[in-house]
Amino acid sequence: MDALETILNHRSIRKFRPDPISDEMLNTILEAASRASTTGNMQVYSIIVSRDQSIKEALLPLHFGQKMVTEAPVVLTFCADFNRFNLWCHQRDADPGYDNFLSFMTAAIDALLAAQNACIAAESFGLGICYLGTTTYLAEPIAKVLKLPLGVVPVTTVVLGWPDQEVPLTDRLPMRAVVHQEVYQNFSAEEIDEIYSERENSALTKRLLEENGLDNLAKVFVEKRYTKRDNVQFSGTLLNFLKHQQFFNQ
Ligand SMILES: Cc1cc2nc3c(=O)[nH]c(=O)nc-3n(C[C@H](O)[C@H](O)[C@H](O)COP(=O)(O)O)c2cc1C
């Protein structure tokens, strides 16, 4: 598949066949990740490759029991990483000033760009991928399992393997919801209604409302899927971990 076709056909895959991914294919995917742009070409990220079942089993509860963690042959944890760069600076008598939030953002951006390159490369081979947002909820225990040193924080996880399901393309909001020409055009109430109407009237939404006993889709997000309580709690633990990992000293 060419790159554009791969990108336009993306769908998250959550069920995998047990077949392994060859070393050659995995290495190409990792190399594609490393070809992503990074800030100043510093490459301030790391990719932890988990194929060992015992490590994946240790990660499973930290990803809230999402079975694809142990079912997929490969789990990749993408980390913001200033550790290696700092070690190099110290070894060269250069004094790094990267123990701050901006540096965390820099490293997290590098890690996410590498992750998306890996996903596109994997999908171009016919593999399926799914991101796991649970990485930022339980970053500290995940870091423990993966033995991440100071200066390294996991920012996202991608499971990959051979798809064992066929899933339709998921919907997207109309382009005018996300693209603004020249400057941001804020939305009127009518425009918000219009932008969300197709999604709100879909069969999937109807099912979600029935399952959750709620009267609109926004409430499914706010009251069930991404609650304030969870966000405040995980935000606090993530901030504490960023401090511990020395991204908040200055
Ligand atoms: C940062 C991030 C975190 C995600 N976390 C999860 C997750 O924990 N579990 C899951 O099943 N899907 C997860 N997803 C997949 C999204 O649910 C999915 O991308 C979205 O519903 C759109 O569907 P599509 O990828 O098939 O187009 C995540 C996606 C992203 C980008």
Side-chain angles (χ1 to χ4, degrees):
M1 265 199 269
D2 72 17
L4 191 57
E5 205 185 335
T6 302
I7 290 167
L8 292 175
N9 274 301
H10 158 75
R11 53 263 278 163
S12 293
I13 296 296
R14 298 178 174 88
K15 272 182 77 62
F16 297 94
R17 291 193 264 126
D19 316 18
I21 298 173
S22 71
D23 286 350
E24 194 190 354
M25 192 176 277
L26 182 58
N27 287 339
T28 306
I29 291 165
L30 296 171
E31 202 170 323
S34 84
R35 291 311 311 171
S37 297
T38 60
T39 311
N41 210 13
M42 289 188 289
Q43 296 182 259
V44 280
Y45 68 91
S46 293
I47 308 168
I48 315 293
V49 181
S50 304
R51 284 184 286 187
D52 185 307
Q53 204 59 20
S54 67
I55 302 248
K56 291 196 281 167
E57 267 159 26
L59 290 172
L60 179 65
L62 307 177
H63 288 294
F64 295 7
Q66 299 190 81
K67 282 205 161 56
M68 44 190 159
V69 173
T70 43
E71 286 173 1
V74 175
V75 176
L76 301 177
T77 306
F78 290 84
C79 306
D81 180 357
F82 258 102
N83 172 57
R84 184 199 63 244
F85 197 80
N86 286 342
L87 289 171
W88 177 59
C89 291
H90 288 304
Q91 256 170 250
R92 297 290 178 270
D93 193 28
D95 187 19
Y98 308 121
D99 50 349
N100 46 61
F101 184 60
L102 181 69
S103 299
F104 170 70
M105 284 298 294
T106 298
I109 291 166
D110 280 8
L112 293 172
L113 295 177
Q116 185 58 12
N117 259 25
C119 289
I120 294 169
E123 289 179 329
S124 78
F125 284 127
L127 292 165
I129 68 98
C130 190
Y131 279 91
L132 300 181
T134 32
T135 311
T136 45
Y137 296 173
L138 292 176
E140 183 166 17
I142 289 171
K144 267 207 185 89
V145 169
L146 301 177
K147 301 192 190 312
L148 305 183
L150 294 181
V152 186
V153 172
V155 291
T156 200
T157 299
V158 173
V159 295
L160 46 129
W162 298 104
D164 195 19
Q165 63 178 168
E166 286 199 9
V167 289
L169 276 183
T170 51
D171 72 302
R172 292 292 186 264
L173 297 174
M175 292 304 294
R176 63 185 176 285
V178 292
V179 178
H180 301 257
Q181 301 296 338
E182 314 305 344
V183 294
Y184 195 98
Q185 315 279 338
N186 213 346
F187 303 96
S188 65
E190 292 74 27
E191 284 165 336
I192 291 291
D193 284 344
E194 189 199 39
I195 282 167
Y196 282 93
S197 73
E198 196 179 325
R199 182 169 291 180
E200 287 179 320
N201 290 306
S202 70
L204 174 64
T205 297
K206 196 165 174 275
R207 182 165 62 75
L208 281 172
L209 297 186
E210 276 166 18
E211 275 171 16
N212 290 291
L214 290 167
D215 62 9
N216 75 56
L217 183 60
K219 288 184 185 169
V220 175
F221 282 88
V222 168
E223 294 180 23
K224 298 283 177 180
R225 299 180 71 183
Y226 305 100
T227 64
K228 176 167 184 165
R229 189 164 164 268
D230 285 352
N231 273 275
V232 168
Q233 188 199 326
F234 292 129
S235 181
T237 52
L238 181 60
L239 276 171
N240 282 339
F241 185 54
L242 288 179
K243 280 178 201 152
H244 178 267
Q245 292 302 83
Q246 303 189 336
F247 278 112
F248 268 99
N249 287 359
Q250 298 158 6

